[in-house]
Every structure is written in structure tokens, then in C-alpha cells.
Amino acid sequence: MRGDSNERDSNERDSNVSDSEVDFGRKIRILRLAEDRINGRIDVRTVVVCTILVVLSLFVAVIALGTGDYYIPPGDVLKAVFSDAPRFTELVVMEWRFPRVALALLLGAALGVSGAIFQSLTRNPLGSPDIIGFDTGAYTGALIVILTLGGGYYQTGAGALIGGICTAAVVYLLAFKRGVQGFRLIIVGIAISAILASVNTWLIIKADLADAMAAAVWGAGSLNGLSWAQVGPVLIVLVVITPMLAVVAKRLPMLEMGDDAAKALGIRAEPTRLILMVLGVALTALVTAAAGPISFISLAAPQLVRRLTKTAGVALIPSAVMGAFLLVVSDWVAQRVFAPTQLPVGVVTVSIGGAYFVWLLAREGRKQ
């Protein structure tokens, strides 16, 4: 009997087992796989929220693919995407509109993840790359390439990446004092951002009129005129960054507990923080290179989804889903609110994000 019991216990450990528990009133699904080698905690509320946001994002994407000077019903949009459709309908949907919608989803997800990384590292809802100044630094690098070197798309992307990384390095070094504290990083970043904003203005003033106007429009953050030529590089960069981020992202909750706690758990705090900062800056620079600096998505997405999911920390995947949803909605509004005139999507995100920023500052002030 004892042998049968041991054999049964061993078989149960080798099989997939799914239990559930209540964690502070929240239903958590616990997965144990193959002798507990893999343990996963799935928050049911988070899954539901992410699923709803994905469905809403796809719904807005279908609407965006169908609206414009040539209206296409949602059914015909789906036919053009998944099956045969009239040649002109397929041309409008797949060649003219689909790249823009795809970039809105991809870049929005990148901004959401970047914001989640920096808000987690700084342990502050204001710790967003556009507040800290990394967006501004990426814009400075891109402007130098555009206005002084006359670089093309790939050269501009490289300039944005170098500018963002250099800005992050300066902020990190100036904020470093026996480690990097979140509030000090934010204050230093705001100061560096103000300096770089002045440099950007000077670069535009000194440039030729045509180049200055093009740089100013691009600097507002716009998805207008983007095509499949931009989708490919964005996908490639995301495919390269995502596996690296998946490896180090699991250490974020440990860093949120403080450097001493992270070290006690075997985590090298500063090297891990530096790697995460580089990956976050790379995501921000990717967006800046593709569409210009798009503000406030990285600030708002992690906090909005955190309030919806009621989680204690900032999660990357929900932030990515929320960022994609916010940007695709903002871009659709930018296209249609003053149609046929199309606004840069950055104008919409700044308008909405500015109100959110004021509310966030007031909320943080009441906590003091």
C-alpha cells in the first residue's frame, strides 16, 4: 500500500496540476508542471483585462482600416486581411492602411513596456522615459543625423538609438551615488531633458527652412505616411529585444524590493538595472526612429493597466497591451477628428496625456 501511495504521488507530480487559491481576495491560478520545475501564477483578473484590451485594440484596428476617404465595411476589411477581396479594396486595406495600424500596435506596445521598465526601476509613476528625458535624447540624436548629416531612415534610427543611450548614460552617471535611487534619477532626467530640449530648438532654428519644417513635424510624433518599409525594421528590432527582455524581466519584482533584498536573493542589482535601462531606451529609440517622439503613452499605459488589474507592481505584458490600445485609438482620433486633415498622433497623446499628468501630479501631491 505504501508503495502504491508513493507511485501515485510521483505520477501526480509528473502530471500537470492546476489549483486555485485566494490571495487577498483575488483569485490566483497556480500551475505546477513536471515535479514543480516550472511554477506559474496566473492572475485571473489580469488575464481578463488583457483579453478585453486585445479585443478592443483589434476592434479599433478594423475600424481604422475601414475608415477614410474610401469607406470599407468591417466585413470587407476582414475579407481583405484574411481572404480574397476586390483588388482595390485589398490595395487600400493592405498597402495603404494596414502598415500604419500595425505600427500603431507595435510601437504602442514598445512604449508601454518601456514605461513599465522605468516605472518599476524608479518605483515611481513619474519614472517614464519621456519624463526622464530619454525620448528627448533620442530626438536629439535623430535631429543631428537629419539636419547635419542628411541621413536616411536607417541612419536616423541609429542616431536616435545612440542619442537615447548617451542620454541614459549621462543621467545614470549623474544620478549614481552608492547606487541609483529612483527619485534622484527622475530629477536628473528632467534637468537633462530641459537642456536637450534647448539643444533641439537651436538645431531646428539653425537648419534650412525646409529641413526645419520637416524635423518639426516629425518631432511631433506622427504615423502619417509610414509604410511596409518601416514595419520590417520595427519587427526585427522587437524580435531581437523581446527574448533578452524576457530573460531579465523576471528580476524586476526583486529590484522593486530594494537592492539589499535583491542581493540577498542572488541578483546583481546594478548590472541588472543597467541592462534593463538599455533595453528600455532601445524601445524608446525604436519608436522615435520610426515615428518621432510620442509622449505620454509610456507614462500612462503602465499606471492605467495597474489600476484595472489591481496588481501590486508594474507588469510588462499588460502594459504592452494597454500601450498598443492607447496608441491605435489615439492614431484613429488623429486621423478622423479634423478629417480630411490628419494630425500627428503626438498631438493627441500630448493632449490626453497632459490631463492625465496633471491628475497624477495632484494625486502624488496628496500622498505627501
Side-chain angles (χ1 to χ4, degrees), residues 213-224:
M213 291 180 64
V217 171
W218 181 78
S222 177
L223 298 175
N224 299 341

Side-chain angles (χ1 to χ4, degrees), residues 184-195:
R184 186 162 60 239
L185 185 71
I186 293 172
I187 295 300
V188 173
I190 291 174
I192 297 299
S193 178
I195 295 172

Side-chain angles (χ1 to χ4, degrees), residues 21 29 160 168 181 236 318 324:
E21 66 178 19
R29 182 68 61 184
Q181 300 298 323
I236 292 172

